[in-house]
Amino acid sequence: MIQPAPIPQTDPRAAYLAQKTEIDAAIMQVLESGQYILGRAVEQFEREFAANLGLAHGIGCASGTDALELALRACGIGEGHLVFTVSHTAVASVAAIERAGAKPVLVDIEPGGFAMDPAALDAALRDAPPGRPAAILPVHLYGEPADLAAIGEIARVQGLRVIEDCAQSHGAVYRRRPAGSFGDIACFSFYPTKNLGALGDAGIVATADATLAEAAREIREYGWRERYVSARSGINTRLDPIQAAVLSVKLPRLRADNERRQAIAARYDERLSGLPIGLPRRRADTSHVFHQYVIRGKDRDRLREHLRAGSIGTGIHYPMPVHLHPAYRSRVALGPTGLRNSEKAAGEILSLPIYPQLADDAVDRVIAEIRKFFG
Ligand SMILES: *Cc1c(COP(=O)(O)O)cnc(C)c1O
């Protein structure tokens, strides 16, 4: 029997090959420039990326996790502060809060979706552990913006910062504005499989606020205001100019890449409807950019095994909510309403193959295998 070609869940190499000539040339240019720390390639990408969001400032850094830490520290958040986020997220969201010195308070996700539940957030703020509530850190998981209007209103009333975790939502739109332009400051990752991916680790923080931008820029490089003179305590998390050059080549394609992801999602939606699985919902007034296309089902593990046998890759993002990880179990605070929706989701979610270079016939093969599983 001829084995069908494997379909990976994601394929960053395909994205590289789609622009290989331009990317290789951009990398060579940096190599020949002699400027290997910050410099023109980084400044150019920072400018282009921030402009795309309609924001004045972009500060490139070494990863999405570092972007979150920079944003928190730039907001003056640290020891004695509480930061409210979700447990159903990449562990990085929570790790960064601890790195900044603050205490994470984890709240549940909405019953029908995957983002922070504003009602659970409200309850957690009313019944907060010791410490001063300082910020809300919503995660636009899978490419779908969280309920920014409700979260923003809670933040306004309580006088809290909003730090958006946009690591999965490059190009997503909420009420006609880009995700990342609502909060005080936004954090992006360019991990190779993200909607905008580098060829290694990279990240950026973006903000409209000149004071926060200056703080983030200083903290990124030892707290220097003037070279070799630290005005505040800082770290070293600079964006690599080689990665910046790669990202400048890829940025103009982000919109088309997201549209291709949305077309794949629409194909899954249409041809998987009627099966006993939950399909991603769409919130009114938002544009979901499908970093992941996540279905839900009670029989998740068997379906995953069936697809694996058919050479189809899937992912689970993420198999365990952060509050259950051995490292965090005893250290994070939980909202008073519990994390039932987060725990339930972790047992049911399955991320199907989705990336811009994925062809329709491959999508159809995934759909056919899923339909076959349900008979
Ligand atoms: C990828 C990711 C991060 C961390 O980004 P890195 O570049 O891997 O450090 C943070 N938050 C979320 C939601 C992510 O998906």
Side-chain angles (χ1 to χ4, degrees):
M1 201 180 95
I2 299 167
Q3 278 292 324
I7 300 174
Q9 201 264 324
T10 184
D11 191 354
R13 183 166 182 268
Y16 164 61
L17 294 178
Q19 291 183 282
K20 180 178 169 15
T21 311
E22 288 164 272
I23 290 173
D24 290 358
I27 291 173
M28 285 309 296
Q29 211 173 6
V30 175
L31 296 185
E32 282 162 17
S33 76
Q35 195 155 38
Y36 308 132
I37 297 292
L38 296 178
R40 273 185 49 195
V42 171
E43 285 161 21
Q44 185 190 326
F45 176 69
E46 287 175 338
R47 223 172 18 247
E48 292 165 350
F49 189 81
N52 237 22
L53 292 167
L55 296 175
H57 311 279
I59 299 95
C61 60
S63 72
T65 312
D66 281 0
L68 290 164
E69 183 185 347
L70 268 188
L72 287 156
R73 292 179 62 150
C75 289
I77 293 166
E79 200 63 40
H81 291 148
L82 304 176
V83 178
F84 295 76
T85 191
V86 284
S87 190
H88 183 64
T89 182
V91 73
S93 314
V94 178
I97 295 169
E98 286 206 323
R99 278 247 309 257
K103 183 158 184 86
V105 183
L106 304 186
V107 306
D108 211 1
I109 54 174
E110 302 158 290
F114 297 109
M116 180 181 277
D117 180 359
L121 170 66
D122 204 41
L125 277 158
R126 282 171 207 285
D127 193 4
R132 189 163 77 74
I136 305 168
L137 198 152
V139 181
H140 307 314
L141 202 70
Y142 308 147
E144 188 200 31
D147 189 348
L148 287 162
I151 291 167
E153 181 57 17
I154 292 170
R156 194 186 61 77
V157 170
Q158 308 257 358
L160 306 176
R161 296 284 198 179
V162 175
I163 297 168
E164 292 179 65
D165 183 340
C166 297
Q168 302 192 3
S169 62
H170 317 70
V173 174
Y174 180 88
R175 300 201 179 163
R176 295 167 189 242
R177 279 168 52 192
S181 67
F182 286 83
D184 296 282
I185 190 162
C187 307
F188 293 82
S189 163
F190 304 117
Y191 185 88
T193 58
K194 306 279 168 150
N195 287 36
L196 180 62
L199 301 177
D201 275 311
I204 200 168
V205 304
T207 179
D209 184 321
T211 308
L212 292 182
E214 184 187 43
R217 212 174 279 287
E218 289 174 5
I219 296 164
R220 165 177 78 174
E221 208 177 20
Y222 313 117
W224 288 349
R225 188 162 300 162
E226 186 187 321
R227 195 169 169 79
Y228 303 133
V229 182
S230 297
R232 58 172 95 223
S233 72
I235 54 178
N236 171 8
T237 176
R238 295 172 293 222
L239 174 59
D240 183 331
I242 294 177
Q243 299 303 341
V246 169
L247 289 164
S248 281
V249 172
K250 294 179 83 175
L251 180 61
R253 269 175 87 122
L254 174 61
R255 181 188 275 269
D257 281 353
N258 281 343
E259 283 168 2
R260 175 63 193 147
R261 287 174 183 272
Q262 289 165 337
I264 294 168
R267 202 171 182 95
Y268 279 138
D269 279 349
E270 189 196 321
R271 300 180 186 195
L272 292 176
S273 70
L275 296 177
I277 49 177
L279 302 180
R281 62 138 198 221
R282 307 289 194 283
R283 199 197 291 283
D285 289 348
T286 68
S287 145
H288 188 321
V289 291
F290 289 98
H291 173 59
Q292 302 295 354
Y293 185 93
V294 176
I295 61 172
R296 298 181 68 143
K298 302 244 177 310
D299 233 358
R300 187 266 314 274
D301 294 331
R302 277 188 49 232
L303 172 59
R304 186 171 202 213
E305 197 39 55
H306 172 83
L307 292 172
R308 197 195 326 263
S311 301
I312 294 167
T314 56
I316 299 177
H317 303 97
Y318 297 90
M320 188 186 274
V322 178
H323 69 283
L324 299 179
H325 289 212
Y328 291 102
R329 236 167 357 217
S330 57
R331 289 217 317 279
V332 293
L334 307 183
T337 52
L339 282 90
R340 210 151 23 100
N341 298 330
S342 305
E343 290 174 13
K344 187 158 180 284
E348 297 181 352
I349 49 176
L350 188 66
S351 307
L352 300 184
I354 194 161
Y355 53 90
Q357 292 75 26
L358 185 65
D360 281 347
D361 59 347
V363 176
D364 290 345
R365 216 178 94 210
V366 177
I367 292 162
E369 279 298 336
I370 295 173
R371 297 204 76 95
K372 200 159 97 192
F373 175 78
F374 288 106

